[in-house]
Amino acid sequence: MTQEQYKRSNEPIAWLLFGFGGMAISFALPVLLALMIIVGLTGSLDFFHFFNVMKHWWGAGAIFLILLGIAFHSMHRIYFSLHDLKCNTGIAGQIILYGLALAMTIVSGIALGIYYFQ
């Protein structure tokens, strides 16, 4: 194949976000959920200082990256599940699903920013 026959693709970016989101779901999400459940059951916010983590830039950034990865992983998984079910959504489906992931990321970033700068 010659160089002219190759086309540029955005697939590496999509697979990077998908892989990162899968790792975030498998490693970070259970820990975050366990911490939030323990804090909720004990009623003590001082027990793990979980909310104080979000007051530091690296804590807020880490939580933002975890939520970004989870959002894009989930929407990528839904898109290809629809494709496997023969519901070919095409470009419109990609725009809607990845736009929804972007919207969830922006909303979580705004919420974390409000809490961080409070």
Side-chain angles (χ1 to χ4, degrees):
M1 292 186 102
T2 63
Q3 192 67 17
E4 295 87 32
Q5 292 174 328
Y6 292 115
K7 291 169 71 175
R8 290 204 103 154
S9 173
N10 62 355
E11 281 193 31
I13 295 169
W15 282 105
L16 175 75
L17 289 170
F18 180 73
F20 172 70
M23 294 298 287
I25 287 173
S26 63
F27 289 120
L29 188 62
V31 174
L32 288 174
L33 288 176
L35 288 175
M36 286 190 275
I37 289 170
I38 291 171
V39 166
L41 290 176
T42 61
S44 172
L45 297 178
D46 295 333
F47 191 70
F48 280 106
H49 302 284
F50 177 72
F51 293 102
N52 290 335
V53 170
M54 290 189 289
K55 285 287 191 185
H56 200 276
W57 67 268
W58 62 265
I63 292 172
F64 175 76
L65 285 175
I66 290 167
L67 293 174
L68 175 137
I70 290 170
F72 276 95
H73 176 84
S74 301
M75 292 302 126
H76 194 73
R77 175 71 68 189
I78 289 170
Y79 175 74
F80 279 101
S81 295
L82 287 172
H83 182 72
D84 290 343
L85 293 172
K86 307 293 187 226
C87 297
N88 194 2
T89 57
I91 290 290
Q94 287 181 338
I95 291 171
I96 290 169
L97 289 172
Y98 294 125
L100 186 59
L102 183 64
M104 287 189 289
T105 302
I106 290 170
V107 168
S108 67
I110 290 170
L112 280 169
I114 289 171
Y115 190 79
Y116 176 74
F117 291 112
Q118 196 177 37

